[in-house]
Amino acid sequence: EIYTWVGANHSVLVSVNPFKTLPIYTVSSMEEHSKPSPNKPPPPHTFAIANSSYMKMKLSLKNQSILISGESGAGKTEATKQCLAFLAEVAGSENNVEQKILNANPVLEAFGNAKTLRNNNSSRFGRWMEIHFEERGSICGCRIENYLLEKARVSFQTSGERNYHIFYQLCFSGVGTRFGVTSPSEYRYLNQSGCETVRGIDDTADFNDVCLALSQLGFVEEELDELFGLICAVLHLGNITFKSDGDQGSVVEGSAALQEAAKQLKIDPKTLGTVLCERSIEVRGEKNRILHKPVEALEAADSLAKAVYGNMFDWLVKRINSSVEGKKGLFIGILDIFGFEIFKKNSFEQLCINFTNEKLQQHFNTNTFKEEESVYVSEGIKFTKVPFIDNQPVLDLIEKKPVGLLVLLDEEIRLPKGSDAKWLEKCDNNHGAHPCWLSDKSARMKLDKSNFTVRHYAGDVEYDSTSFYDKNKDALFRDLYDAMTLSGNKIAKEIFPPKDKNPRKIVSISGQFRTQLIELMKIVNETAPHYIRCVKPNDEKRPNTFDTKMSLEQLTYAGVFEAVKIRKSGYPFRLLHRAFVARYRCLAKGRTQIPVRGGDDRETAKKIMGCLPQDFTEVQIGNTMVLYRAEEHRILELLRNLALEIIVPVAQRGSRRGLGKKYLRKLREAKKFLKEAYDKGNDAAALDRAISKTNELLGPMRKLFEHEPKELSMCKELRHKLQERVELTKIMSGLVGKDPMSVYPELGCAIVRANKIKDIPGTAAEMEVESKCRDMLKSCAGPRIDPLAEEALWLLKREAMVDVLAQADEVGYISSDIDEIRAKLALGEEAFVKLQLKKANELNDPDRVINREIRLKELYLDAYGSMFTFDKFSLLRDPDEWASMKLFGFAFNKDQIAASFLYHTGSPIHASLTKLESPLSKEAVKMFKNIMGYMGDRKYPYPDTLAQEVIACGLANEPLRAELYCQVMKQLQENPSFASESKGWELMSLFLSCFPPPPSVENVISMFLREHCEEDKREKYTQSLHMIIYGGARRKAMSMSEIPHTVANFFDKPITERYMAEDFVGVATRFGGEGDGGPETVVGVGGNVDGGRVGGAAAKKPSPPPKAGGGAKPAPPPKPGKGGAGAVPGRPPPPPPPPPAVTSVPMATTLFDYLPGSQPGMLNLKKAETVVVLNSEDSEWWLVQKNGEEGWVPAAYMKLNN
């Protein structure tokens, strides 16, 4: 548990950073929190806070805010992403703008976050995000405001920290080489801290995410080149070195870095070198040159680098705003701003950051304590006053005019000879007696230090005043600025617009920041606030470690304990008299009479409370509001739900009756014109019109009523057959005139399809073409059918025999083998299965049975694969019918929705792709969002948790497996994003490692892999498909740590020969010879005794299993490629002696007879026998016990008992 509520009204959430990914942020979790149970409080979660703000915004029509606070590393950025993901999922949008808002996150993190000593992904800027909503509640736009980027980090980082992520991403991804940037160790701005990589951060993968997000935000390639060029120019500026010119000035030492920086900035190298080494000032209209010493020239280069990066970041935020902006409406604001900071060396930036946190703490105090007390006073309610720490004194110390610390600093930079020392002296003189100013002037003078200490709400912080003056002024020499205005880089020209020649009023950094902060607090004060107080449980960033003292300190400084006290003693639930009456008037039904409208709302509220039998003496009816605590709120809500359970069903019955009658009228109308179209016969256009009209007529009501007219199915079937006739005629026309032997498979497939539509005769020309094809097939049937008949008899494979007999009957072919096949197929099902098992046991080769089944499938798909393309999958819904099931927007984009049915989409689906009942269809819709999230088509936090949930769903719900495979195939078809497609194939590999597809979709998936998988990967995917089909689903759900491991090792996992396409003889054959070792041969698929069968090769007899010496037990077969006694290269040998029997004794049932005879280590079993499983760790062989006798049996022949 990492969350808890403070108070019963659930507006304050405490969140503990777990320092690990938890599976509690999936689509299912979002759905659970978006539809909380009315009879129990929502569990604490960031999603619950986000949902509360969203619902209150819609109900009260008032702007909301979520203020996330805590020290650095407490998890504020993650909480922000979770809230944004929830709002995007629940509210959605008409134009997909919510996905753009989520895409802004990785971009802003790359450019504005860095590794610090306390946090590997610390926000080095503040941001306020306003998510605007339309009247219906969908997202219509966003506005982002950024605050106080830490520009000093560009040129300097403390040991163990890093610069901004984007620098390392460009270096490690290799993209930086296009702009002259290589390894981070080569750049002064990146190598000074001794930290270039961070455990748990993959800079290359993160950069790919950033590029994808930028493209989805509408950045074009030219913009990206100029943006990345500016970032790389910053690194080159840091590498420029200077030396003395022999006099008072300096010159650039070595031109490589200067040339590269000028190239990326697109300015003249000579101009850049000049403005770095000197500057000009104008006094009374006369210009004077001031030469820079080497140290000053280096500082000028650093100033330019910081100015470029800072201005570029501001431009980036504005550019993102232009992509996500929309019309204004009610909004939910989310504040993610730097946490309270105490470092070894604290400077100007830390003072501004801690000042911001003081402001936020004051808002929390005001809202939680002061306003609480003022409400009770105004309502005339008695309450117990709770003392709390008021931080107004420290705010006055920092900002109050005329002598606040930042106010004095602004004055200092306007003086001709201002300095840090003079500012600090003024602070001492004005605040020596202030309780929050802890500077000892005399001690500081003796030690020659420039430190001072401020007592903040979170503790005492010692600051170093060095560079306060320069950082607040943040002045870039005019010559450097003017040089940047000449840049050929469009972004640079935009962020450095030309200035006029008149000197401007100096605007300080602290002044700008205070103005921004005032505006922010003004907006926040006008919203209904919700708080997330983030807690950092330990300094080591270690999971499962909780430092109690450290956590209690954070809760104390955040005012959480005082908030708990006032919530317990106060009345957290309050409604205006009129709102209370409107909500709970249903409780008075049957108990007392209350006016429908008009009357005194206060008296009506008293009347409602008085008529109830429960004890509500603790409910306070104030001057304008009714106030009560959690227990009373729970009882009132329970009574209200009970009352509504009586009222609502009455309204529902009436509504259902009306909808039912309306649907019945539509059905009758549809049946009429469907029958008319069907009676016209072979009129495809009339059928299309009737089907389309039906879809439009029934439309979304299909989701309410499952019944459909049988005439619709009849018309669809007839339309399908007409289309099939057209396609077949086209195919057959191409076959007529060719050599029958060369196109035999195509002829067979065409005739099989033609037989299915015999009841729909074509035109005379169409039937003539069909007749010619039938004659061609008959002319070459003998040479083709005889080998197939012989093979079918040898294997006794029902599907093969039925197919051969059908082909023979089609062309009227007769032979002794055909007669024998006809006789065997006439046997009952049980007798035929016994013959099959007898033949398999004669060969004593269960592996080969599996191998040949796989090969037969492959051969079957070679000939008839066109029948199993994705769009022909029989369980899929009709595209038009599926489009009709969308509740909103159907009339406008039905054709577009139907066209996207089986192709990649960037929007969630509204109904399952396959024909599923309502509960399963809803689950399928939810799982599709998880699939989109894992593939990156839709932004959700922690993609691996989404994959984990989909896999768990597939393992637990067999009826959903076909749907899940179809959803992945849909997202892989015509996917425009390489990154998304790659993740889709990763998901396919995870499915094929966890659960098999149902038999109905096996061939569809096989054909999909053939048509869409890359050639060099196709075989591995196909073999994995066979392996999961025969091996069965894994028994345990996949853990989160297994997901990346499974994906990374998918192409390296061993595949046994039984799952490969080549014929494989694993054990002794009917001839009693040795597999793969002797000269004799055994019949296989496509082969006879002499190996001369068309299309196949003879297989050698396998080696006999080794004998177990000294009565030892057999051991499990070694894995492929490991050898061992009796091992045969390229396949696992039969089992040698086993390890000691394991203690667990699960039971299993035999699915088929397994009769290996007297082979050592094997156990003879009959179908349906129950045995004890001693060892099932091997996926190929299990060690079992029957009547005290132990031995190995094929795992594929066994089924564990539940």
Side-chain angles (χ1 to χ4, degrees):
E1 297 291 333
I2 63 170
Y3 297 117
T4 188
W5 294 116
V6 175
N9 65 349
H10 299 163
S11 64
V12 181
L13 177 75
V14 176
S15 168
V16 179
N17 189 345
F19 290 115
K20 63 180 180 180
T21 303
L22 298 175
I24 57 175
Y25 305 102
T26 61
V27 174
S28 297
S29 182
M30 291 181 185
E31 185 171 303
E32 175 188 345
H33 286 281
S34 68
K35 300 173 183 176
S37 170
N39 295 324
K40 67 176 183 179
H45 199 289
T46 47
F47 291 166
I49 277 280
N51 186 62
S52 175
S53 63
Y54 180 62
M55 297 307 296
K56 287 180 179 177
M57 180 198 70
K58 293 204 297 182
L59 290 172
S60 67
L61 300 180
K62 181 178 180 181
N63 296 327
Q64 309 286 310
S65 61
I66 302 174
L67 308 179
I68 305 172
S69 60
E71 68 173 71
S72 181
K76 299 185 299 300
T77 300
E78 292 302 309
T80 300
K81 290 192 286 189
Q82 291 155 15
C83 291
L84 286 172
F86 179 86
L87 293 173
E89 175 64 21
V90 173
S93 70
E94 294 293 331
N95 55 1
N96 219 32
V97 70
E98 85 281 3
Q99 291 302 303
K100 290 185 177 182
I101 295 170
L102 294 178
N103 277 312
N105 270 322
V107 177
L108 293 176
E109 283 189 26
F111 286 84
N113 288 28
K115 179 199 179 300
T116 66
L117 295 177
R118 309 181 71 176
N119 185 0
N120 288 347
N121 188 35
S122 176
S123 296
R124 308 316 300 160
F125 72 107
R127 62 170 158 167
W128 165 258
M129 299 184 72
E130 285 181 8
I131 316 299
H132 288 262
F133 297 83
E134 294 178 338
E135 292 180 1
R136 292 193 306 176
S138 60
I139 295 173
C140 60
C142 174
R143 181 180 72 87
I144 304 172
E145 190 77 30
N146 62 297
Y147 303 96
L148 200 67
L149 178 75
E150 187 188 13
K151 290 189 285 188
R153 182 168 294 272
V154 173
S155 59
F156 175 79
Q157 309 93 46
T158 302
S159 177
E161 297 193 349
R162 291 209 312 178
N163 211 319
Y164 292 103
H165 294 323
I166 189 64
F167 291 116
Y168 304 91
Q169 291 173 4
L170 280 168
C171 290
F172 290 123
S173 67
V175 174
T177 56
R178 292 167 46 201
F179 308 97
V181 167
T182 54
S183 169
S185 60
E186 300 296 323
Y187 300 94
R188 178 168 67 92
Y189 288 166
L190 305 183
N191 62 17
Q192 57 188 298
S193 67
C195 179
E196 295 177 6
T197 59
V198 182
R199 185 177 181 182
I201 292 181
D202 185 341
D203 290 302
T204 301
D206 289 347
F207 184 70
N208 291 335
D209 291 341
V210 170
C211 290
L212 179 62
L214 286 168
S215 66
Q216 291 175 346
L217 284 166
F219 284 72
V220 296
E221 190 171 346
E222 182 184 0
E223 276 182 304
L224 295 181
D225 286 344
E226 295 192 331
L227 180 63
F228 296 152
L230 282 182
I231 297 166
C232 293
V234 169
L235 294 180
H236 294 304
L237 284 171
N239 273 15
I240 300 175
T241 57
F242 303 88
K243 63 181 180 180
S244 174
D245 64 355
D247 194 5
Q248 298 296 315
S250 61
V251 293
V252 174
E253 185 177 17
S255 63
L258 177 70
Q259 292 286 342
E260 199 60 53
K263 177 182 176 182
Q264 303 308 329
L265 292 173
K266 297 185 179 179
I267 61 178
D268 179 52
K270 185 177 179 180
T271 301
L272 179 60
T274 300
V275 295
L276 289 174
C277 294
E278 62 179 60
R279 70 181 187 272
S280 61
I281 60 172
E282 189 172 338
V283 180
R284 297 188 183 94
E286 185 176 329
K287 277 193 175 183
N288 296 303
R289 287 174 58 233
I290 298 178
L291 300 179
H292 290 166
K293 295 176 183 179
V295 173
E296 294 172 332
L298 191 64
E299 290 175 352
D302 289 346
S303 296
L304 180 59
K306 289 185 285 186
V308 169
Y309 195 84
N311 292 2
M312 177 272 298
F313 187 79
D314 291 338
W315 172 88
L316 183 65
V317 173
K318 290 178 182 176
R319 177 65 180 80
I320 292 173
N321 278 335
S322 69
S323 179
V324 299
E325 68 182 357
K327 64 180 183 181
K328 302 294 183 182
L330 289 173
F331 68 81
I332 297 175
I334 301 177
L335 182 65
D336 172 21
I337 206 158
F338 8 68
F340 192 88
E341 293 186 345
I342 307 177
F343 297 140
K344 288 182 179 179
K345 180 180 179 181
N346 300 286
S347 188
F348 174 74
E349 293 83 5
Q350 278 67 50
L351 179 62
C352 292
I353 287 170
N354 294 340
F355 169 56
T356 304
N357 281 272
E358 292 283 2
K359 279 284 191 182
L360 293 174
Q361 183 63 26
Q362 185 192 46
H363 179 273
F364 181 75
N365 290 345
T366 301
N367 188 73
T368 307
F369 302 106
K370 295 180 180 179
E371 288 187 5
E372 194 88 3
E373 292 178 358
S374 66
V375 167
Y376 298 152
V377 171
S378 65
E379 291 295 320
I381 302 297
K382 292 182 180 180
F383 69 99
T384 304
K385 190 176 180 70
V386 177
F388 65 92
I389 301 171
D390 190 347
N391 66 337
Q392 187 61 49
V394 72
L395 287 170
D396 291 343
L397 170 68
I398 296 172
E399 69 168 346
K400 188 174 181 181
K401 294 180 178 180
V403 291
L405 301 184
L406 295 180
V407 177
L408 288 174
L409 187 59
D410 285 354
E411 286 185 2
E412 193 67 22
I413 66 172
R414 294 182 176 90
L415 299 177
K417 295 183 180 181
S419 67
D420 296 324
K422 290 179 180 179
W423 168 73
L424 189 55
E425 184 179 358
K426 292 177 182 177
C427 292
D428 275 325
N429 295 336
N430 285 283
H431 303 295
H434 198 288
C436 296
W437 177 263
L438 306 181
S439 174
D440 187 339
K441 182 178 179 180
S442 59
R444 188 175 66 240
M445 296 292 287
K446 289 179 182 178
L447 297 174
D448 193 26
K449 287 187 175 181
S450 55
N451 294 5
F452 65 94
T453 301
V454 175
R455 176 159 289 167
H456 290 282
Y457 79 92
D460 297 347
V461 181
E462 185 179 34
Y463 297 94
D464 184 351
S465 65
T466 304
S467 300
F468 265 54
Y469 178 89
D470 291 332
K471 289 180 178 180
N472 190 40
K473 195 172 184 179
D474 193 38
L476 184 66
F477 294 137
R478 183 60 181 263
D479 297 45
L480 286 169
Y481 189 97
D482 290 343
M484 288 302 301
T485 63
L486 303 175
S487 171
N489 184 301
K490 292 181 181 178
I491 297 176
K493 287 184 75 69
E494 189 173 340
I495 62 180
F496 289 97
K499 290 182 178 180
D500 58 40
K501 294 185 178 181
N502 296 322
R504 296 185 174 215
K505 179 182 177 182
I506 297 176
V507 179
S508 69
I509 295 299
S510 72
Q512 293 178 38
F513 180 61
R514 279 181 288 135
T515 301
Q516 282 185 308
L517 199 54
I518 290 170
E519 289 298 318
L520 171 64
M521 297 313 298
K522 183 179 178 182
I523 295 172
V524 169
N525 288 332
E526 293 175 355
T527 65
H530 305 258
Y531 302 93
I532 301 178
R533 314 299 272 182
C534 297
V535 175
K536 184 179 181 181
N538 64 80
D539 272 329
E540 293 76 30
K541 296 174 273 193
R542 187 181 302 157
N544 305 320
T545 303
F546 188 82
D547 186 326
T548 305
K549 181 176 181 295
M550 177 180 176
S551 301
L552 285 175
E553 285 177 353
Q554 293 174 65
L555 292 172
T556 301
Y557 292 142
V560 170
F561 294 127
E562 287 86 354
V564 171
K565 287 179 185 177
I566 199 167
R567 297 290 186 186
K568 288 176 68 176
S569 64
Y571 300 90
F573 295 94
R574 59 198 68 172
L575 288 173
L576 292 171
H577 294 151
R578 177 161 296 181
F580 183 87
V581 170
R583 184 166 184 81
Y584 295 113
R585 69 184 306 137
C586 59
L587 304 185
K589 185 176 177 62
R591 293 188 174 98
T592 186
Q593 293 291 327
I594 59 174
V596 176
R597 59 174 60 87
D600 187 337
D601 290 327
R602 190 171 189 271
E603 292 303 317
T604 304
K606 283 183 178 181
K607 204 171 183 181
I608 292 173
M609 300 307 300
C611 75
L612 298 174
Q614 288 77 16
D615 180 15
F616 287 109
T617 56
E618 292 297 318
V619 174
Q620 302 291 324
I621 299 180
N623 297 327
T624 63
M625 291 188 290
V626 181
L627 301 94
Y628 46 97
R629 296 191 175 102
E631 180 62 21
E632 287 76 21
H633 174 74
R634 186 183 65 80
I635 296 172
L636 283 170
E637 286 298 300
L638 180 61
L639 292 173
R640 181 175 182 270
N641 290 332
L642 291 173
L644 292 178
E645 285 180 3
I646 299 172
I647 299 169
V648 170
V650 176
Q652 287 178 333
R653 281 197 297 271
S655 175
R656 286 171 179 161
R657 186 185 302 112
L659 288 172
K661 288 181 177 179
K662 183 177 180 180
Y663 190 66
L664 182 60
R665 288 195 300 271
K666 289 178 179 288
L667 278 179
R668 287 171 176 166
E669 184 181 348
K671 287 165 70 78
K672 182 179 179 181
F673 56 71
L674 283 170
K675 188 175 185 305
E676 290 175 357
Y678 187 82
D679 291 342
K680 289 182 179 179
N682 300 354
D683 189 340
L687 290 169
D688 284 340
R689 287 193 298 271
I691 294 171
S692 177
K693 189 175 179 181
T694 301
N695 288 332
E696 291 185 16
L697 185 64
L698 302 183
M701 296 191 77
R702 279 174 156 162
K703 297 197 80 170
L704 302 176
F705 303 96
E706 294 185 358
H707 175 76
E708 289 185 346
K710 66 177 181 179
E711 289 82 0
L712 179 60
S713 299
M714 293 166 55
C715 285
K716 285 182 178 180
E717 183 181 0
L718 178 58
R719 181 65 182 88
H720 171 73
K721 288 182 177 180
L722 291 175
Q723 184 63 32
E724 184 76 347
R725 172 64 68 187
V726 173
E727 292 180 7
L728 273 178
T729 300
K730 184 178 179 180
I731 292 170
M732 289 179 172
S733 298
L735 296 176
V736 172
K738 293 185 178 180
D739 177 17
M741 291 295 288
S742 66
V743 293
Y744 180 78
E746 291 86 349
L747 282 169
C749 183
I751 295 304
V752 168
R753 291 171 65 179
N755 289 339
K756 293 180 180 179
I757 55 172
K758 282 184 177 179
D759 56 328
I760 307 295
T763 63
E766 289 173 339
M767 299 310 295
E768 182 181 355
V769 171
E770 181 179 326
S771 177
K772 289 180 180 178
C773 285
R774 290 184 183 277
D775 291 341
M776 290 171 64
L777 182 64
K778 190 171 182 179
S779 69
C780 60
R784 287 283 183 175
I785 291 177
D786 282 345
L788 296 176
E790 208 170 329
E791 289 167 4
L793 278 173
W794 173 246
L795 288 174
L796 290 180
K797 185 74 173 173
R798 177 180 286 275
E799 291 82 355
M801 295 170 71
V802 169
D803 184 54
V804 169
L805 187 60
Q807 292 187 47
D809 288 345
E810 174 62 29
V811 296
Y813 183 73
I814 300 174
S815 71
S816 58
D817 284 347
I818 294 297
D819 291 340
E820 187 177 351
I821 288 173
R822 197 183 302 278
K824 282 186 166 56
L825 288 177
L827 294 173
E829 181 69 17
E830 185 178 353
F832 188 80
V833 170
K834 286 181 178 179
L835 285 177
Q836 287 181 311
L837 291 175
K838 181 179 178 181
K839 175 63 72 174
N841 284 312
E842 284 177 5
L843 294 174
N844 194 22
D845 193 354
D847 284 348
R848 190 163 184 264
V849 172
I850 294 175
N851 175 271
R852 290 299 85 202
E853 285 181 347
I854 291 173
R855 181 57 184 156
L856 284 171
K857 286 182 182 179
E858 294 297 326
L859 294 172
Y860 183 68
L861 289 177
D862 287 343
Y864 305 109
S866 61
M867 299 168 62
F868 299 103
T869 53
F870 188 22
D871 59 320
K872 291 187 173 68
F873 180 35
S874 59
L875 294 183
L876 288 173
R877 298 184 188 273
D878 177 80
D880 290 328
E881 172 191 336
W882 182 74
S884 303
M885 297 171 73
K886 190 171 179 66
L887 288 176
F888 300 107
F890 170 75
F892 306 103
N893 56 358
K894 182 194 77 170
D895 294 338
Q896 183 180 348
I897 295 171
S900 69
F901 178 53
L902 294 182
Y903 297 97
H904 178 271
T905 179
S907 304
I909 56 176
H910 55 277
S912 62
L913 304 178
T914 56
K915 299 165 185 172
L916 295 173
E917 298 298 324
S918 180
L920 285 177
S921 181
K922 289 181 179 178
E923 187 70 11
V925 171
K926 192 192 307 177
M927 289 305 108
F928 186 75
K929 292 179 181 178
N930 281 336
I931 289 172
M932 293 182 70
Y934 184 78
M935 293 177 65
D937 298 322
R938 194 171 174 84
K939 285 288 179 183
Y940 292 109
Y942 324 116
D944 283 356
T945 64
L946 307 179
Q948 184 187 30
E949 185 174 60
V950 175
I951 292 167
C953 178
L955 287 170
N957 298 285
E958 288 190 32
L960 269 178
R961 290 177 183 175
E963 171 72 19
L964 295 178
Y965 274 101
C966 286
Q967 288 181 2
V968 173
M969 290 190 289
K970 166 186 169 66
Q971 289 301 92
L972 286 171
Q973 286 210 118
E974 296 189 7
N975 191 324
S977 167
F978 174 77
S980 170
E981 185 179 10
S982 299
K983 297 295 283 186
W985 284 112
E986 283 183 12
L987 202 54
M988 179 69 80
S989 72
L990 289 170
F991 284 9
L992 295 177
S993 302
C994 293
F995 54 83
S1000 60
V1001 77
E1002 285 176 12
N1003 288 338
V1004 175
I1005 296 173
S1006 294
M1007 284 305 299
F1008 186 88
L1009 294 176
R1010 288 185 176 202
E1011 294 175 349
H1012 296 278
C1013 190
E1014 294 179 18
E1015 188 173 354
D1016 58 334
K1017 299 176 181 177
R1018 188 181 306 146
E1019 184 178 10
K1020 195 69 173 186
Y1021 276 101
T1022 302
Q1023 291 170 352
S1024 297
L1025 172 62
H1026 298 323
M1027 193 170 180
I1028 197 68
I1029 288 172
Y1030 285 98
R1034 61 181 285 154
R1035 295 172 202 166
K1036 295 180 181 178
M1038 182 172 280
S1039 67
M1040 208 139 39
S1041 60
E1042 286 182 276
I1043 290 174
H1045 176 78
T1046 302
V1047 170
N1049 294 281
F1050 178 73
F1051 292 101
D1052 297 325
K1053 70 176 180 180
I1055 302 290
T1056 311
E1057 285 91 333
R1058 70 164 72 165
Y1059 303 116
M1060 296 183 181
E1062 295 79 11
D1063 192 4
F1064 168 62
V1065 179
V1067 294
T1069 69
R1070 75 184 225 191
F1071 297 101
E1074 297 182 359
D1076 296 339
E1080 299 180 58
T1081 55
V1082 61
V1083 174
V1085 176
N1088 60 6
V1089 174
D1090 61 6
R1093 185 68 55 85
V1094 175
K1100 297 179 181 179
K1101 297 181 297 180
S1103 303
K1107 295 183 179 180
K1113 296 177 183 177
K1119 298 291 183 183
K1122 287 190 178 180
V1128 178
R1131 64 173 176 82
V1142 293
T1143 56
S1144 60
V1145 284
M1147 309 297 290
T1149 302
T1150 314
L1151 298 174
F1152 312 101
D1153 289 351
Y1154 179 63
L1155 304 170
S1158 59
Q1159 283 196 76
M1162 303 291 193
L1163 191 63
N1164 289 280
L1165 294 176
K1166 288 283 189 179
K1167 179 181 179 181
E1169 283 192 290
T1170 301
V1171 297
V1172 176
V1173 180
L1174 301 179
N1175 191 330
S1176 60
E1177 294 179 0
D1178 191 88
S1179 60
E1180 312 289 337
W1181 296 88
W1182 287 2
L1183 179 64
V1184 301
Q1185 184 184 69
K1186 183 186 78 171
N1187 300 328
E1189 184 182 359
E1190 297 178 8
W1192 292 91
V1193 296
Y1197 278 47
M1198 308 303 298
K1199 179 181 181 182
L1200 278 173
N1201 298 338
N1202 294 326

